[in-house]
Amino acid sequence: MSRSQSAHPSTRRRAGRPPRQRHARADHARPSRKSASQRSNRWSHQVMETSDAMDIEGGIFKSGSAEEIAQSLKRSSTRSRRRKGTPFQSAMSMLNFYVNRAGRNLPQTRRNVLQQAKRKLREAFGRGSR
């Protein structure tokens, strides 16, 4: 085959590489996944307990007031020795972690309260609002 009649790009050899495989081989089948009951559904709890996440008050995200959540996170972040960033970074990170972990299971009313808590947290630390 001449250069003008090049082979299909997936089968053409370049720089000594073997041609691309078109299909997965049977002996390299994907390993079976664990069922939901076998998986640990509490990995986020382990992250909160063992990482350098700051220590927070229990049940704070369940309180009804955005102001209360923001003030508690500010208190916790300034007192905690288990944080790497600034108190503001740690508090905002913890709030985002909770919102992201809740995902679609978080009702819209609760999500609105937590978004308001982010604004209150920025105000509490003297940061400009977005």
Side-chain angles (χ1 to χ4, degrees):
M1 199 182 284
S2 69
R3 276 211 182 265
S4 63
Q5 293 177 328
S6 64
H8 189 271
S10 66
T11 59
R12 182 177 47 207
R13 293 183 63 121
R14 279 187 242 151
R17 293 188 320 211
R20 188 183 90 199
Q21 297 294 319
R22 289 191 172 266
H23 303 286
R25 293 183 356 212
D27 59 348
H28 288 272
R30 183 179 293 166
S32 64
R33 294 190 179 260
K34 292 181 181 179
S35 69
S37 62
Q38 291 174 330
R39 274 190 309 233
S40 171
N41 291 329
R42 295 180 53 102
W43 70 266
S44 59
H45 178 75
Q46 185 210 1
V47 167
M48 298 278 282
E49 293 297 319
T50 61
S51 73
D52 280 333
M54 65 181 190
D55 300 313
I56 60 172
E57 297 172 13
I60 185 57
F61 294 116
K62 293 179 179 160
S63 67
S65 165
E67 181 71 33
E68 198 175 315
I69 293 170
Q71 290 304 316
S72 174
L73 284 172
K74 182 177 180 182
R75 270 193 311 275
S76 297
S77 65
T78 53
R79 289 180 188 160
S80 180
R81 298 281 174 223
R82 291 177 55 208
R83 60 178 163 77
K84 289 184 178 180
T86 65
F88 174 72
Q89 287 172 329
S90 295
M92 189 61 77
S93 175
M94 193 58 67
L95 187 51
N96 281 322
F97 179 76
Y98 180 78
V99 170
N100 291 341
R101 274 302 296 148
R104 293 183 182 149
N105 297 327
L106 194 62
Q108 189 62 43
T109 54
R110 196 76 201 120
R111 186 177 303 274
N112 292 341
V113 169
L114 294 172
Q115 292 298 330
Q116 182 65 32
K118 286 183 185 181
R119 287 186 215 101
K120 297 284 185 184
L121 191 59
R122 286 185 192 103
E123 290 172 13
F125 277 100
R127 305 282 179 118
S129 63
R130 288 184 186 182

